[in-house]
């Protein structure tokens, strides 16, 4: 992968960035996403944030090699601290991390989200936790997408601040309101795989010297819930 050839997952994330967006890509690693979007002419300004020195240097290299130093600003910073008021960022991407870490980055950097109109989030796991953060912070989910790549299924969640009250059920927080509505083969594959793995965990727990009854019952309930959604 490079800025000219995005992975299927990042290409799908890119599709949710509005044309002309002023984007911040937090945890950008090689800055492939902002570089690709800038090379395509879809955006003309981006901040690429990284908290670790190695990936930050990768970003600097990628930006220089593609001649994008006037359009993409690399910043070594923790989470949303990479965004400065003068950037006038309107779209924030956080991709390729766990949902709990993404929620933590959003929570700790809330003050940097003023003026941001769209969040494009791609959690690798922990989607329930991330959707719960969005709900608690009045971000309505506008779109969701499942992407299958290299034996992994990734979720993309697009959210925008909502001026009106709204709510999600436990079901919607777990599966995603749009994904639950649409279902389809990738959805089925993701959750069938989940059931298989959790049934393995259940067997292990049941065979323990002192089976943890409460956890077993919780897991049984969750598996039943997923099987219900798969019907
Ligand atoms: N976003 C890219 C993608 O989706 O392909 C890279 C994902 S990579 C697995 C996650 C990156 O997030 C790493 O480079 C890591 O250093 C960075 N990261 C983790 N926590 C961060 C934080 N609090 N602030 C900024 N970057 C962070």
């Amino acid at each position: 992968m490079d800025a000219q050839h995005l992975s299927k997952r990042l290409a799908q994330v890119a599709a949710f960035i509005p044309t002309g967006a002023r984007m911040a890509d937090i945890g950008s690693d090689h800055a492939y996403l902002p570089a690709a979007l800038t090379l395509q002419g879809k955006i003309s300004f981006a901040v690429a944030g990284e908290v670790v020195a190695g990936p930050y240097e990768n970003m600097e290299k990628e930006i220089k090699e593609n001649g994008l130093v006037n359009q993409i600003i690399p910043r070594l910073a923790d989470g949303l601290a990479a965004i400065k008021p003068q950037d006038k960022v309107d779209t924030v991407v956080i991709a390729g991390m766990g949902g709990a870490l993404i929620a933590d980055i959003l929570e700790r950097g809330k003050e940097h989200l003023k003026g941001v109109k769209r969040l494009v989030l791609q959690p690798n796991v922990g989607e329930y936790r991330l959707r719960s953060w969005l709900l608690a912070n009045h971000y309505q989910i506008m779109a969701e997408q499942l992407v299958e790549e290299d034996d992994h299924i990734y979720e993309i969640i697009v959210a925008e601040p909502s001026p009106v009250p709204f709510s999600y059920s436990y079901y919607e927080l777990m599966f995603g309101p749009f994904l639950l509505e649409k279902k389809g083969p990738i959805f089925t594959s993701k959750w069938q795989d989940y059931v298989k793995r959790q049934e393995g965990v259940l067997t292990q727990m049941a065979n323990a010297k002192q089976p943890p009854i409460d956890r077993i019952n919780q897991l049984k309930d969750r598996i039943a819930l997923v099987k219900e959604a798969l019907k």
Side-chain angles (χ1 to χ4, degrees):
M1 183 172 44
D2 58 27
Q4 269 87 15
H5 309 91
L6 286 185
S7 65
K8 193 171 164 190
R9 174 184 62 86
L10 276 184
Q12 193 56 64
V13 169
F16 288 113
I17 309 303
T19 301
R22 293 180 70 84
M23 184 183 92
D25 183 26
I26 305 300
S28 195
D29 197 352
H30 287 76
Y32 290 145
L33 179 69
L37 285 165
T38 313
L39 289 173
Q40 288 163 18
K42 192 171 181 187
I43 64 170
S44 55
F45 176 85
V47 170
E50 251 299 334
V51 74
V52 178
Y56 172 78
E57 284 155 18
N58 294 338
M59 297 196 311
E60 279 194 312
K61 189 164 168 270
E62 190 72 18
I63 293 165
K64 272 191 199 132
E65 280 179 5
N66 284 286
L68 299 172
V69 290
N70 293 324
Q71 288 112 309
I72 305 177
I73 307 174
R75 288 204 183 115
L76 188 60
D78 181 7
L80 301 182
I83 303 172
K84 309 235 177 288
Q86 63 269 27
D87 299 331
K88 297 193 169 29
V89 160
D90 53 32
T91 305
V92 170
V93 177
I94 313 179
M97 305 176 206
L101 178 55
I102 296 178
D104 178 58
I105 287 174
L106 291 168
E107 178 62 29
R108 288 187 297 110
K110 268 182 194 176
E111 76 271 19
H112 299 279
L113 290 174
K114 287 182 198 119
V116 171
K117 297 194 184 92
R118 172 172 283 207
L119 303 176
V120 182
L121 310 170
Q122 185 270 296
N124 292 338
V125 289
E127 298 87 356
Y128 174 88
R129 172 84 192 277
L130 182 54
R131 286 193 192 92
S132 301
W133 186 92
L134 293 171
L135 173 62
N137 290 277
H138 316 291
Y139 281 88
Q140 194 161 12
I141 297 173
M142 309 307 288
E144 288 171 313
Q145 179 85 44
L146 287 174
V147 187
E148 192 166 18
E149 185 176 58
D150 300 335
D151 290 334
H152 286 281
I153 294 174
Y154 301 99
E155 289 193 15
I156 299 170
I157 302 172
V158 181
E160 295 180 358
S162 173
V164 292
F166 65 94
S167 186
Y168 294 124
S169 65
Y170 177 73
Y171 240 57
E172 289 173 318
L173 290 174
M174 177 129 174
F175 300 103
F178 287 87
L179 300 176
L180 191 60
E181 182 74 21
K182 191 174 161 216
K183 294 196 179 160
I186 309 183
F187 180 92
T188 303
S189 164
K190 174 184 165 108
W191 290 106
Q192 273 176 347
D193 188 52
Y194 175 87
V195 167
K196 211 164 134 190
R197 277 185 284 115
Q198 296 309 312
E199 282 180 338
V201 174
L202 206 54
T203 309
Q204 278 177 3
M205 283 203 238
N207 289 337
K209 273 193 189 140
Q210 287 181 323
I213 303 300
D214 286 351
R215 282 180 59 208
I216 287 177
N217 287 335
Q218 271 176 11
L219 193 51
K220 275 186 179 166
D221 287 349
R222 201 165 326 133
I223 291 171
L225 188 108
V226 175
K227 284 185 171 170
E228 185 62 31
L230 282 170
K231 275 186 188 160

